[in-house]
Amino acid sequence: MAKKDYTKLASDIIENIGGKENVKSLIHCITRLRFYLKDESIAKDDVIKNLDGVIDVRHAQGQYQVVIGAAVTDVYDAVIAQLGQEFADLDATEAAVQETKAAAGSAKEPDNRSFGQKIKDGFNALIGVITGSMMPVVGLLAASGILKGLLQMAVDFHWTVPTSQTYIIISAMGDSAFYFLPIIVGFTAAKRLKSDPVIMAIIGGVLVYPSLFSIATGTKTTGTFLGMALNTNLFGLPIHMVNYTYSIFPIIAGAWMAHYIEIWLKKWIPQILQMIFVPLFEVIIVSAIIIIFVGPAITLVSTGISWLLDAILKFNYPIAGLIIGGFYQSLVIFGLHWAIVPLIANDIASKGYSYLNAIVSMTMVAQGAAVLAIFLKSKIASIKELSGAAAISAFVGITEPSIYGINLKYGRAFLTASIGAAAGGLVSGLLNVNMYGFTGSIIGFPSFFTPAKFGGGMSNEINFWIATAVTLVVAFGCTWAFGFKDADVAAEKKVVRRKTIGKDA
């Protein structure tokens, strides 16, 4: 018996719910299509109810539910075929099917995974969300990183100075993608986590708002809490305001929260008022949670880590080089590295040099070496295009495109880059490599020339190049040998179930 064609029914449903542009995502349970719509009020309930193949329409759980019956899977496939796979959420669909099966008396399949496997799956899901949120902007970050590197090179060779108008304008061009990263990632993470992209972009704008940035970077405080400066207050409650520019993790956490908060708000706010009051309360609630809890929590953790790393560095430089080199870029993933920057700044301001920055420089080189190996090894055009740009960006001091675009996405490459960074950090410690400026990676080589007041000479610069060569060889060699193969890309494309942090029934 031929399978029934539901193409026309799918087309009619899409048309009468407001078209493709009104759809955020679609899942299904065992009898219903469950749409997440941008505006449920424009859906034509009476028309859809009378379509041949539709039993009823329901508004529930923040969803627009079209009751189909036993043919729901076939109708769902037909609808997704017209909307596009980006509107599907297979994890949420599976959860909804299991929930409705249980409600109907069917036993839910037991989760036989071990605790360790659950932790591993959860971590993989988190990494998947982070890389998935960053992938749409990796090319932009690579381009911006290259521009920032060229501008720094112009300063190092005295072709311009940071106070010139030309420098300021070009710096804005290169820096804006990083400065406003919470806005950009708020939008992309929301699409990944099924919250409202525009609302999350607005929340990102709240985090980098100039007045809040001034508070975070200012010196005025009213006290301290667990070592954090209390630099502002909200309704009289003293809080620690964090500088959110260049950050991604707080806004991704916000996008995850917003998904559930939006569903909850839609349960309690009458539909006629949702268009205004859902965004209003969502912006207020999510922004407040990030500012009061998430940002300070990240500061607290990163401050503890920076204290530990500083203690290791003071204990033994080679050991510190090995440990910090191996783990530093892992801190970058979660934005925990920002508390280390003040240590470097303080060292350079008070002493005129920073051993810690010399180690950090090797981690940048290692990330670049790993993606360079992938660029030369891969036969896939899209991978070569991305890894080539990411390598250049890393060698001029911007590692985000390497991390989020390639190395973290394909797992082993991030590990092999970290091995190379650990080797480079160890050699830096053994050779007592020092750094006299902020700019690292290969483009930062002028920062390793020893100033006359510290004795001058070329030995430190030579040692920098030795450590850099070791980092390049180890990271490149390990990545080439076992860090990446083109089959990794093909294997990822074959994965049907997209891992995500947020699920809803």
Side-chain angles (χ1 to χ4, degrees):
M1 183 177 178
K3 185 177 180 180
K4 187 173 180 180
D5 186 0
Y6 291 99
T7 302
K8 186 177 186 309
L9 176 58
S11 178
D12 290 340
I13 291 173
I14 294 171
E15 178 184 354
N16 288 288
I17 59 173
K20 179 178 178 179
E21 59 274 12
N22 193 39
V23 180
K24 290 199 291 186
S25 65
L26 171 63
I27 65 174
H28 72 83
C29 59
I30 59 174
T31 60
R32 306 180 184 191
L33 299 176
R34 300 187 178 198
F35 289 92
Y36 288 97
L37 301 180
K38 297 174 183 177
D39 184 1
E40 291 186 16
S41 66
I42 65 175
K44 301 175 182 177
D45 294 7
D46 291 337
V47 175
I48 296 174
K49 286 179 183 178
N50 291 313
L51 292 175
D52 185 20
V54 173
I55 299 172
D56 201 357
V57 169
R58 292 281 188 270
H59 295 265
Q61 299 178 302
Q63 302 166 344
Y64 187 83
Q65 301 180 358
V66 181
V67 184
I68 300 295
V72 65
T73 303
D74 293 334
V75 178
Y76 170 85
D77 291 341
V79 173
I80 287 297
Q82 296 183 36
L83 290 176
Q85 283 296 326
E86 66 270 21
F87 288 89
D89 189 333
L90 299 179
D91 284 327
T93 292
E94 181 182 350
V97 169
Q98 293 290 354
E99 179 190 357
T100 48
K101 277 185 177 179
S106 300
K108 183 176 180 179
E109 293 181 9
D111 187 350
N112 295 319
R113 293 177 301 166
S114 65
F115 177 76
Q117 186 61 44
K118 290 178 181 179
I119 295 296
K120 179 181 178 181
D121 289 347
F123 180 76
N124 288 338
L126 175 61
I127 296 302
V129 168
I130 293 173
T131 56
S133 300
M134 291 298 295
M135 276 305 295
V137 298
V138 163
L140 175 62
L141 295 181
S144 298
I146 292 170
L147 182 57
K148 284 166 64 70
L150 293 174
L151 189 60
Q152 183 60 50
M153 183 172 66
V155 172
D156 291 340
F157 287 98
H158 305 291
W159 298 335
T160 187
V161 293
T163 54
S164 74
Q165 295 301 304
T166 299
Y167 177 94
I168 292 171
I169 293 172
I170 296 177
S171 178
M173 296 176 187
D175 216 32
S176 60
F178 295 94
Y179 187 95
F180 296 108
L181 203 54
I183 298 177
I184 303 169
V185 174
F187 187 90
T188 59
K191 295 179 71 174
R192 177 87 181 187
L193 293 168
K194 305 303 177 186
S195 49
D196 190 300
V198 175
I199 292 176
M200 284 313 304
I202 295 298
I203 293 171
V206 172
L207 300 182
V208 298
Y209 194 73
S211 298
L212 301 189
F213 173 79
S214 298
I215 293 171
T217 56
T219 57
K220 183 179 179 180
T221 62
T222 58
T224 60
F225 177 71
L226 297 176
M228 297 182 294
L230 300 175
N231 48 9
T232 188
N233 70 84
L234 185 63
F235 297 116
L237 174 68
I239 60 174
H240 172 68
M241 178 61 67
V242 177
N243 176 13
Y244 292 97
T245 61
Y246 288 73
S247 70
I248 67 164
F249 195 73
I251 197 68
I252 291 177
W256 174 76
M257 289 186 289
H259 171 74
Y260 296 100
I261 290 171
E262 183 174 328
I263 293 174
W264 180 79
L265 288 171
K266 286 184 175 179
K267 287 181 180 179
W268 293 98
I269 298 175
Q271 186 176 342
I272 194 172
L273 301 175
Q274 287 182 3
M275 187 168 61
I276 296 175
F277 287 100
V278 168
L280 171 64
F281 287 115
E282 195 170 336
V283 169
I284 292 173
I285 294 170
V286 176
S287 297
I289 291 175
I290 294 175
I291 290 171
I292 297 174
F293 299 107
V294 178
I298 291 175
T299 297
L300 189 63
V301 173
S302 59
T303 300
I305 291 173
S306 68
W307 176 87
L308 177 62
L309 296 185
D310 188 49
I312 296 172
L313 184 61
K314 290 177 179 177
F315 171 72
N316 186 282
Y317 187 10
I319 292 176
L322 179 69
I323 295 174
I324 297 173
F327 290 98
Y328 181 80
Q329 293 295 333
S330 297
L331 302 180
V332 174
I333 297 172
F334 302 104
L336 297 175
H337 65 300
W338 285 110
I340 298 173
V341 175
L343 293 178
I344 296 172
N346 181 68
D347 282 347
I348 294 176
S350 60
K351 304 175 185 177
Y353 57 82
S354 173
Y355 289 107
L356 179 58
N357 207 22
I359 299 172
V360 171
S361 180
M362 293 303 122
T363 71
M364 299 176 183
V365 174
Q367 292 293 328
V371 287
L372 179 62
I374 293 170
F375 170 74
L376 295 175
K377 183 178 182 180
S378 179
K379 299 295 190 294
I380 301 173
S382 60
I383 295 297
K384 292 182 75 70
E385 179 182 357
L386 182 56
S387 58
I392 296 172
S393 182
F395 291 146
V396 298
I398 305 297
T399 57
E400 282 86 351
S402 299
I403 294 174
Y404 300 116
I406 297 290
N407 293 344
L408 189 60
K409 187 175 182 181
Y410 299 109
R412 296 194 313 278
F414 186 82
L415 175 62
T416 53
S418 297
I419 292 172
L426 175 62
V427 173
S428 293
L430 293 173
L431 298 178
N432 205 42
V433 176
N434 207 346
M435 192 169 174
Y436 302 93
F438 280 103
T439 306
S441 196
I442 291 177
I443 201 171
F445 73 91
S447 298
F448 293 87
F449 284 110
T450 305
K453 66 178 181 179
F454 294 110
M458 289 293 295
S459 61
N460 190 70
E461 182 71 18
I462 292 170
N463 289 339
F464 157 73
W465 284 111
I466 293 173
T468 298
V470 170
T471 304
L472 285 166
V473 170
V474 174
F476 185 99
C478 289
T479 305
W480 185 281
F482 55 85
F484 176 85
K485 56 183 183 296
D486 281 345
D488 295 337
V489 181
E492 188 198 37
K493 290 180 178 178
K494 290 179 182 177
V495 174
V496 175
R497 295 187 69 242
R498 175 174 54 79
K499 293 187 180 297
T500 180
I501 298 297
K503 290 185 180 180
D504 55 273

